[in-house]
């Protein structure tokens, strides 16, 4: 059975296919064959992941002043079970250890059923800033009295969105005391369905701003979405197996690491960066807007005016480690680069998602896995051992070593605990002159 088809089959059976034995040690072609086996991906989908698939002429439709195309490694995290169904998670990242770590943490969640996820409706908000309003409190109530008319006008801008079940779900008005005056902020709450939604809500905000300003007897200035997407949350939860984690002491130390992140903004920033290692990699792989998701995450990490960590860790009654993560997840399957970028289209096929909400939930589960993996390493051996062997691989590659030469050089560097470029060059010279075996 192929992976995916979430929410339908998981109730009946537990797929096994996101566990691909030895995936890490395969060649790229072998990995593609394994993914083809596990999914229903055709050969042409893999061709879309080749750097040459995204022609500069096509890229020029997405951005400006285009002179080329910038490539990054695209990988697949394994071992994920989400709501009882196996999922292969596409991740684009330049950082070593990230995909392996997510896969490893997902493996530790499997014995207890993997990740459970949920999400709110995909509601984005646009803000209209009203200035020079003489009576902001009265203006607020005048706007609310006429909200049906404003909502109809906003919905009229996007019949397609309304047709697919989205559209404005509400209108709120806030008063914000600023240095020079009290601004009236009108928020349009819009269910954007399978879109990220920025363009959709910005268009609505611009279209209704004149009417709203007229009602307030002021003027409209900014008309743009807020990236604090706190009405569009996705959540993930997982129980990580005590034995696979390394026992009770490891769990206690992970909890201490979490407590520090909850209490100290300096640690929280790095804790959250670990989450974003997973989150941004899936967001990028699927052609979504990394900055929008990151802005949402950072704003969500401030609670009662203090920056803290996004995830929570606890020990359950059985003594296992439970992790939870809830964060804004404004991602889409239509619009932006999602449909235009060939590798993003292929990535969405790998993830086998049919709604933006499903994608959002997979992303948050990946963020939680990534977070747990980093905490476990920090609470045990420290990050450098794993990082350094990958770093050694990078050093060997930058010195021009072939795959065979690299394997020998990496083993030597690890043995010597030396990770310097001059040493790599010396080893390579020695190897090519017949030594260093
Ligand atoms: P979009 O306008 O390209 O696509 C959304 C539109 O697709 C909808 O308005 C709707 O008309 C149509 N649609 C068709 N089928 C749909 C379905 N099933 N569900 C929902 N809509 C459907 O894109 P968008 O998602 O509105 O905007 C995303 C882009 O905006 C991204 O590229 C993002 O980078 C960019 N952007 C972001 C910001 C920001 O985050 N501050 C600001 C401006 C633009």
């Amino acid at each position: 059975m192929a992976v995916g088809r979430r929410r339908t089959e998981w109730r009946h059976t537990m797929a096994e296919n996101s566990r691909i034995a030895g995936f890490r040690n395969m060649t790229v072609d072998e990995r593609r064959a394994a993914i083809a086996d596990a999914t229903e991906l055709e050969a042409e989908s893999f061709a879309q992941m080749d750097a040459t698939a995204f022609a500069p002429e096509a890229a020029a439709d997405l951005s400006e002043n285009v002179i080329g195309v910038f490539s990054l490694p695209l990988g697949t995290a394994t071992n994920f079970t989400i709501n009882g169904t196996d999922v292969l998670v596409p991740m684009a990242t330049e950082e070593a250890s990230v995909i392996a770590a997510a896969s490893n943490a997902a493996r530790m969640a499997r014995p207890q059923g993997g990740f459970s996820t949920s999400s709110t409706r995909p509601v984005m908000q646009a803000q209209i800033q009203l200035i020079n309003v003489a009576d902001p409190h009265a203006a607020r109530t005048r706007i609310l009295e006429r909200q049906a008319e404003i909502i109809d006008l906003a919905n009229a801008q996007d019949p397609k969105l309304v047709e697919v079940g989205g559209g404005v779900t509400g209108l709120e008005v806030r008063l914000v005391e600023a240095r020079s005056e009290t601004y009236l902020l009108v928020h349009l709450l819009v269910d954007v369905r399978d879109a990220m939604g920025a363009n959709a809500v910005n268009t609505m905000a611009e279209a209704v701003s004149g009417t709203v300003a007229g009602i307030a007897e002021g003027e409209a200035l900014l008309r743009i979405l807020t990236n604090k997407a706190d009405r569009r949350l996705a959540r993930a939860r997982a129980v990580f197996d005590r034995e696979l984690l390394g026992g009770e002491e490891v769990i206690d130390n992970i909890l201490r690491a979490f407590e520090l992140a909850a209490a100290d903004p300096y640690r929280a920033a790095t804790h959250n960066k670990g989450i974003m290692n997973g989150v941004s990699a899936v967001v990028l792989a699927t052609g979504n807007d990394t900055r929008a998701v990151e802005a949402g995450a950072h704003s969500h990490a401030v609670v009662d005016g203090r920056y803290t960590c996004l995830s929570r860790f606890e020990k359950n009654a059985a003594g296992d480690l439970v992790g939870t993560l809830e964060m804004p997840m404004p991602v889409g399957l239509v619009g932006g680069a999602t449909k235009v970028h060939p590798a993003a289209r292929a990535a969405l096929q790998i993830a086998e998602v049919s709604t933006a909400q499903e994608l959002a939930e997979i992303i948050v589960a990946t963020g939680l896995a990534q977070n747990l993996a980093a905490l476990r390493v920090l609470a045990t051996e420290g990050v450098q051992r794993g990082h350094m062997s990958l770093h050694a691989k990078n050093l060997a590659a930058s010195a021009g070593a072939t795959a065979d030469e690299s394997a020998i050089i990496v083993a030597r560097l690890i043995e010597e605990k030396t990770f310097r470029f001059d040493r790599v060059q010396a080893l390579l010279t020695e190897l090519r002159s017949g030594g260093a075996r």
Side-chain angles (χ1 to χ4, degrees):
M1 190 174 73
V3 293
R5 274 166 294 290
R6 309 174 63 237
R7 300 192 195 293
T8 46
E9 285 177 12
W10 71 270
R11 277 167 239 278
H12 311 297
T13 177
M14 182 95 137
E16 289 291 333
N17 312 51
S18 75
R19 293 215 67 170
I20 304 177
F23 194 64
R24 207 176 158 178
N25 301 319
M26 293 177 184
T27 63
V28 171
D29 282 343
E30 286 166 349
R31 288 194 201 111
R32 287 182 173 195
I35 300 285
D37 271 354
T39 61
E40 280 150 19
L41 237 61
E42 309 281 344
E44 54 267 27
S45 297
F46 293 104
Q48 308 238 300
M49 298 172 207
D50 292 335
T52 48
F54 194 28
E57 292 72 26
D61 288 339
L62 271 184
S63 188
E64 306 77 35
N65 297 4
V66 170
I67 54 167
V69 173
F70 185 90
S71 299
L72 282 175
L74 173 66
T76 302
T78 54
N79 299 329
F80 274 83
T81 292
I82 301 181
N83 297 331
T85 296
D86 272 21
V87 179
L88 288 165
V89 183
M91 299 176 79
T93 179
E94 88 299 347
E95 191 171 346
S97 301
V98 166
I99 302 179
S103 307
N104 196 24
R107 184 178 60 83
M108 293 177 194
R110 279 182 90 87
Q112 304 265 6
F115 296 82
S116 301
T117 62
S118 62
S119 50
T120 63
R121 280 176 79 177
V123 173
M124 296 296 283
Q125 300 176 66
Q127 295 189 294
I128 302 164
Q129 178 193 19
L130 298 176
I131 61 172
N132 297 328
V133 177
D135 52 355
H137 289 275
R140 175 176 174 274
T141 57
R142 289 200 299 275
I143 291 168
L144 291 173
E145 283 157 24
R146 290 177 57 187
Q147 62 177 296
E149 174 194 334
I150 299 164
I151 290 173
D152 284 348
L153 180 59
N155 277 335
Q157 311 309 311
D158 202 336
K160 180 67 197 173
L161 184 62
V162 175
E163 183 196 313
V164 297
V168 182
T169 61
L171 184 149
E172 292 175 2
V173 190
R174 300 166 54 231
L175 269 64
V176 174
E177 305 281 347
R179 192 179 52 83
S180 58
E181 65 180 286
T182 298
Y183 295 119
L184 213 54
L185 269 298
V186 179
H187 283 222
L188 276 180
L189 278 60
V190 187
D191 181 332
V192 295
R193 296 284 89 203
D194 293 321
M196 179 270 174
N199 288 329
V201 303
N202 290 348
T203 304
M204 288 180 175
E206 288 193 7
V208 303
S209 60
T211 304
V212 169
I215 299 169
E217 294 165 15
E219 294 154 62
L221 188 59
L222 305 188
R223 297 154 303 165
I224 181 126
L225 86 157
T226 167
N227 284 107
K228 183 171 168 57
D230 55 4
R231 306 292 175 98
R232 191 178 192 178
L233 301 175
R235 313 170 191 100
R237 171 175 64 82
V239 179
F240 298 96
D241 187 79
R242 185 177 19 184
E243 297 319 313
L244 290 176
L245 280 170
E248 196 177 348
E249 195 186 338
V250 175
I251 293 187
D252 289 342
N253 284 339
I254 289 174
L255 288 173
R256 287 190 182 102
F258 153 67
E259 276 178 24
L260 179 61
D264 176 32
Y266 285 90
R267 175 59 212 149
T270 317
H271 180 106
N272 290 340
K273 195 275 182 181
I275 293 171
M276 299 312 287
N277 275 342
V279 166
S280 297
V282 192
V283 173
L284 187 60
T286 54
N288 275 289
D289 184 336
T290 50
R291 291 81 55 210
V293 171
E294 283 152 11
H298 296 312
S299 60
H300 206 65
V302 177
V303 180
D304 297 332
R306 199 171 61 84
Y307 182 84
T308 185
C309 56
L310 288 162
S311 60
R312 291 287 174 272
F313 287 89
E314 298 157 309
K315 209 190 268 190
N316 68 11
D320 290 311
L321 185 71
V322 193
T324 49
L325 174 61
E326 179 181 79
M327 58 188 293
M329 197 44 67
V331 289
L333 305 180
V334 298
T338 49
K339 281 258 180 346
V340 181
H341 196 295
R345 283 205 308 266
L348 286 168
Q349 283 178 289
I350 292 175
E352 297 198 289
V353 285
S354 51
T355 65
Q357 268 178 273
E358 284 184 3
L359 176 61
E361 292 176 24
I362 290 174
I363 294 171
V364 177
T366 310
L368 178 59
Q370 203 72 56
N371 187 206
L372 180 275
L375 289 181
R376 179 173 170 272
V377 170
L378 283 170
T380 53
E381 64 190 20
V383 289
Q384 282 312 73
R385 200 172 73 91
H387 266 238
M388 280 327 215
S389 49
L390 285 151
H391 179 52
K393 244 173 140 174
N394 284 345
L395 286 175
S398 5
T402 64
D404 288 347
E405 289 169 340
S406 167
I408 297 167
I409 291 171
V410 168
R412 277 291 292 272
L413 293 180
I414 291 171
E415 194 184 306
E416 294 174 4
K417 296 193 174 61
T418 314
F419 299 96
R420 287 197 329 262
F421 189 63
D422 60 320
R423 182 63 189 137
V424 174
Q425 284 176 313
L427 282 171
L428 190 59
T429 313
E430 206 180 315
L431 198 59
R432 288 182 178 170
S433 62
R437 299 271 154 198

